[in-house]
Amino acid sequence: MPKYKYNPPTRTHCAVCEKLRLTDDKPIIESTKGKASSASNYPIHNWYYFVLGYTPEFPNYIIETEKINSSHIVVDPFMGTGTTLIECKKRGIKSVGIDANDYFFDVVSAKTNWGINLNELENSIKELRVEVNNQIFLIEKQEDDEKSSDFLFSDSKNNWLKYGFGKRPKMLDERYVSDVPLAKLLLLKEVIGFLGVDVNIKNLLKLALFAVVVPNSNVKYGPGFGISKAKLDSDVFGSFFRKLDRILSDYKVAKTHYVNGDSLVLHGDARELDTLLEAETIDQMITSPPYPGDHEYTKHTRLELIFADYAVSKEEFRTIKKRMIRGSTTNIYRGDEDKLLVADIESISCVTKLIQTRLDSDGATSGFEKLYTKLVWEYFGGMFKVFKASLKALKPGGKFHLLVSDSHAFKMVHIETAKILGEVAIKAGYSSFSVRLWQNKSSTSHGYDLREDILTLVK
Ligand SMILES: C[S@@+](CC[C@H](N)C(=O)[O-])C[C@H]1O[C@@H](n2cnc3c(N)ncnc32)[C@H](O)[C@@H]1O
């Protein structure tokens, strides 16, 4: 008999999935509506697409079922691209967002600043258009003078740098973005930089630019980080100005139809949110935190972080990653010891023992695989800290709603994320928790749908 291998983990039988399939839980939302990509159908949310984001339907559902109104304050401690904040803002609800990723701080600050004068914004976009066209004209004219059809961008020696639009950033590999699209992106960056406009408008222009970096690159953010066929040229200027048109028309809608509740954007570590928020001031928390799915949360903004100069070296990436909940084997460090905070929780022991048994039976030797159990412990330990800190910030009776998926990422061991997080929260001091099935998510690695649940904690 050949020895049974759990790796690769495809189409393997899962006893927990079989058991869950027999429950008659009805999902609150159909899986077609629950995808992160469905956010592209919503104004403002679609200014910047984040593959690990979520649909605005989730914060809406909580706002409606909890009857949250303008007398309440809502916090999203893992705000990502600010889905919760925007939905609160539209209804005049005060909201606060926290994220460990520097880049998201700027993205959400720009998305939630609805105080810009519309005429000024329109005029700035016109001015930018003229300036960009001037630059292109000058470059093309020079190209003619040089009588070379491929002088400008296609030279692998980066001849276009002669025009002073910056250098290829060291970490922005040519496999990620080809020369010509990068030259055009750098030109836009430079022109936005010297445009004499209000800083809030400039931030919106930058947001539009950052939003078109990946679509004009060779990179595909899936659940992973993929590189596809090189785009040697691309309609960078067209996509950028279309994005700005979109932003402008949504901005008009926001100004005339939405209430514009106050929002505050903070940069920090959710495990220390009690140091950022006043004690007992928050009514509800609504978030989609990292989950134990082996996702490294800087990966899905890697190009933007480099292009926009937030992280230009491995060390700077490491600094950002260290502020994050441990969610991936590439984000575990010597000295991490949040495990100790949850070491007595039986269900985490069961999961990690099963992962270890399967690693042993496979004879797994890779460095990453060896970190699987440590990662699962550190993930739940980190979330324990978030729960402890959130208890201080919430008012008595306040609630914390988390959207989390089950996981099969480690040797196909089924991790019932919401249920285990509920136990972790009780240990941290919450009085009760409930789990509702939000949607069934199809998984590429096996034949079962995985649950995505709303975990609600009550202080
Ligand atoms: C699943 S995403 C949230 C998506 C978000 N709901 C949206 O609409 O875009 C998780 C977020 O948590 C952030 N994050 C991870 N660890 C964190 C920490 N310790 N403190 C604050 N944010 C963190 C990541 O940067 C990422 O933006």
Side-chain angles (χ1 to χ4, degrees):
M1 276 281 284
K3 195 169 142 194
Y4 184 75
K5 285 266 183 194
Y6 288 98
N7 202 3
T10 46
R11 309 277 157 199
T12 321
H13 174 75
C14 173
V16 182
C17 283
E18 284 298 336
K19 190 186 81 197
L20 290 174
R21 204 146 71 167
L22 299 177
T23 62
D24 53 5
D25 273 7
K26 295 265 176 302
I28 296 166
I29 188 168
E30 283 169 40
S31 47
T32 44
K33 286 196 191 157
K35 288 190 176 138
S37 57
S38 67
S40 61
N41 300 326
Y42 294 82
I44 303 179
H45 296 289
N46 62 19
W47 290 359
Y48 175 81
Y49 173 61
F50 178 38
V51 68
L52 299 176
Y54 58 33
T55 166
E57 302 270 356
F58 167 60
N60 281 345
Y61 175 78
I62 299 294
I63 289 169
E64 273 160 33
T65 51
E66 292 291 327
K67 300 190 172 41
I68 300 175
N69 60 48
S70 57
S71 69
H72 297 123
I73 304 182
V74 170
V75 168
D76 186 341
F78 300 98
M79 77 177 167
T81 50
T83 313
T84 301
L85 270 66
I86 289 159
E87 287 308 304
C88 286
K89 219 174 155 54
K90 280 163 72 173
R91 293 169 177 76
I93 300 165
K94 291 193 192 75
S95 58
V96 184
I98 301 168
D99 207 283
N101 186 332
D102 311 50
Y103 170 64
F104 284 142
F105 174 82
D106 281 358
V107 166
V108 183
S109 299
K111 277 169 97 176
T112 53
N113 181 354
W114 301 352
I116 296 170
N117 178 290
L118 258 180
N119 283 341
E120 246 183 83
L121 180 59
E122 267 174 316
N123 288 338
S124 303
I125 294 175
K126 276 187 204 146
E127 203 183 314
L128 177 64
R129 215 182 263 276
V130 170
E131 203 46 61
V132 169
N133 283 339
N134 280 345
Q135 295 300 333
I136 296 170
F137 175 76
L138 286 175
I139 289 168
E140 283 174 354
K141 193 166 155 281
Q142 234 157 341
E143 191 180 2
D144 285 348
D145 292 348
E146 298 283 336
K147 299 208 178 344
S148 160
S149 58
D150 60 357
F151 176 74
L152 178 59
F153 295 119
S154 56
D155 185 322
S156 61
K157 292 192 188 75
N158 291 350
N159 267 343
W160 48 270
L161 293 180
K162 279 183 189 166
Y163 300 98
F165 295 125
K167 284 190 182 154
R168 175 179 284 284
K170 216 171 79 200
M171 291 186 69
L172 205 55
D173 205 287
E174 207 174 318
R175 286 172 311 144
Y176 297 169
V177 197
S178 307
D179 282 348
V180 180
L182 178 63
K184 295 177 177 176
L185 289 164
L186 287 171
L187 182 151
L188 288 173
K189 188 177 169 195
E190 178 82 6
V191 175
I192 293 172
F194 69 62
L195 211 63
V197 297
D198 173 75
V199 64
N200 293 316
I201 293 183
K202 206 169 257 205
N203 288 341
L204 262 189
L205 303 178
K206 282 189 195 165
L207 169 67
L209 173 59
F210 301 156
V212 299
V213 170
V214 170
N216 287 292
S217 75
N218 308 325
V219 166
K220 238 182 145 39
Y221 295 149
F225 180 94
I227 297 182
S228 42
K229 196 165 166 267
K231 284 189 199 108
L232 297 178
D233 195 1
S234 168
D235 182 19
V236 172
F237 303 121
S239 62
F240 171 70
F241 282 109
R242 278 193 296 279
K243 179 62 74 179
L244 273 181
D245 288 343
R246 163 96 267 168
I247 289 178
L248 187 62
S249 71
D250 287 356
Y251 211 80
K252 286 179 184 163
V253 174
K255 285 272 206 196
T256 46
H257 289 80
Y258 300 155
V259 187
N260 193 5
D262 290 342
S263 55
L264 177 66
V265 182
L266 300 171
H267 177 232
D269 182 343
R271 290 168 296 183
E272 294 163 8
L273 66 83
D274 52 328
T275 61
L276 301 169
L277 303 170
E278 254 182 73
E280 306 212 331
T281 52
I282 306 305
D283 296 280
Q284 307 254 353
M285 297 200 180
I286 306 175
T287 200
S288 154
Y291 71 101
D294 211 4
H295 293 310
E296 199 272 273
Y297 280 85
T298 60
K299 228 181 207 171
H300 306 91
T301 53
R302 185 189 288 174
L303 257 55
E304 294 90 337
L305 280 165
I306 304 171
F307 180 77
D309 309 313
Y310 292 98
V312 292
S313 65
K314 283 196 174 144
E315 292 68 42
E316 284 177 2
F317 266 95
R318 201 178 145 95
T319 306
I320 300 176
K321 278 158 64 169
K322 276 190 135 180
R323 280 199 294 263
M324 291 186 170
I325 289 286
R326 304 299 183 247
S328 141
T329 46
T330 56
N331 191 26
I332 281 281
Y333 305 94
R334 207 167 285 145
D336 281 352
E337 49 184 33
D338 289 350
K339 169 187 174 172
L340 300 175
L341 302 167
V342 290
D344 58 346
I345 295 184
E346 191 62 33
S347 44
I348 310 176
S349 287
C350 286
V351 163
T352 50
K353 275 184 193 148
L354 190 51
I355 295 173
Q356 194 55 53
T357 308
R358 292 183 181 180
L359 284 167
D360 293 344
S361 87
D362 275 5
T365 50
S366 96
F368 288 126
E369 285 177 313
K370 283 185 185 158
L371 289 171
Y372 281 176
T373 56
K374 177 163 180 171
L375 171 61
V376 173
W377 279 115
E378 289 301 320
Y379 168 77
F380 285 109
M383 289 304 289
F384 176 88
K385 280 185 170 166
V386 175
F387 294 150
K388 267 266 179 227
S390 62
L391 273 169
K392 291 189 190 158
L394 279 171
K395 290 179 183 169
K399 291 185 187 171
F400 191 172
H401 311 271
L402 302 99
L403 188 65
V404 280
S405 294
D406 280 5
S407 164
H408 264 196
F410 309 107
K411 289 284 157 192
M412 285 295 288
V413 172
H414 192 119
I415 303 180
E416 291 182 83
T417 313
K419 213 176 102 200
I420 301 179
L421 280 177
E423 292 172 30
V424 171
I426 296 295
K427 182 173 164 59
Y430 275 92
S431 64
S432 65
F433 77 89
S434 63
V435 176
R436 285 167 282 177
L437 176 64
W438 171 247
Q439 67 163 332
N440 287 310
K441 282 167 94 173
S442 65
S443 163
T444 43
S445 60
H446 59 93
Y448 301 97
D449 284 345
L450 282 181
R451 284 178 73 103
E452 186 172 45
D453 290 305
I454 301 176
L455 167 68
T456 295
L457 313 173
V458 183
K459 175 168 169 178

